Amino acid sequence: MNLESPKISVSKSPEEVFNFLSDIKNFESLMPENISKFEVLGEDKFLFALKGMPEIILKKKEVIPPNKIVLGAAGGKIDFALIANITQLDDSTSEVKLDFTGDFNPMMAMMIKSPISKFIETLATSIPKAI
């Protein structure tokens, strides 16, 4: 399953956006209002839970400055990744798009497609306000 957020324009350089997203503590400010738990578990790992959903642990898996950060599932039975793609538009403007990829059975994919789509859209649209 592959889902994409809308492309979001940010009035910051790719380096500034990359540095913000590289610090996992900053993800708390991007979370939707229905978050019930957020906990930093280490320099490259955090746990979060949305109301009515199980806890999810994300770990930084790949970092390509200043254009890409890959967060992946850390433990659990489901393998997925959240990828932040950062593109420079000009000296002081960047574009950010979040991609969600995961290998789910058709039933699970049908159940989580809508909530995950809303989640990554919320994360992406929160970036310009949070930086």
Side-chain angles (χ1 to χ4, degrees):
M1 181 167 77
N2 296 319
L3 302 171
E4 297 179 357
S5 76
K7 291 179 179 176
I8 304 296
S9 182
V10 184
S11 300
K12 301 283 183 188
S13 71
E15 289 79 12
E16 289 173 286
V17 176
F18 178 86
N19 290 339
F20 177 83
L21 294 176
S22 290
D23 185 347
I24 58 159
K25 292 188 284 305
N26 291 331
F27 275 86
E28 187 170 15
S29 65
L30 305 178
M31 291 289 162
E33 289 178 12
N34 66 336
I35 187 167
S36 59
K37 186 173 188 179
F38 186 92
E39 192 178 319
V40 174
L41 301 175
E43 202 173 288
D44 63 350
K45 191 164 41 170
F46 66 94
L47 172 150
F48 72 96
L50 304 175
K51 288 186 179 110
M53 300 282 279
E55 291 181 353
I56 296 171
I57 299 174
L58 284 177
K59 180 179 174 63
K60 224 186 288 180
K61 301 270 186 174
E62 184 181 3
V63 180
I64 303 170
N67 303 109
K68 186 176 184 181
I69 298 172
V70 179
L71 299 173
K77 299 175 188 136
I78 301 170
D79 189 30
F80 64 88
L82 179 64
I83 303 148
N85 293 295
I86 306 160
T87 309
Q88 183 168 349
L89 297 178
D90 60 40
D91 289 345
S92 61
T93 312
S94 306
E95 189 174 74
V96 180
K97 183 171 72 80
L98 299 179
D99 296 322
F100 176 90
T101 61
D103 192 13
F104 304 101
N105 68 47
M107 183 71 169
M108 173 77 89
M110 192 174 75
M111 288 171 32
I112 66 171
K113 184 176 183 177
S114 178
I116 296 291
S117 294
K118 285 186 185 123
F119 175 69
I120 64 171
E121 184 176 338
T122 299
L123 289 181
T125 55
S126 297
I127 292 170
K129 297 174 234 154
I131 296 182

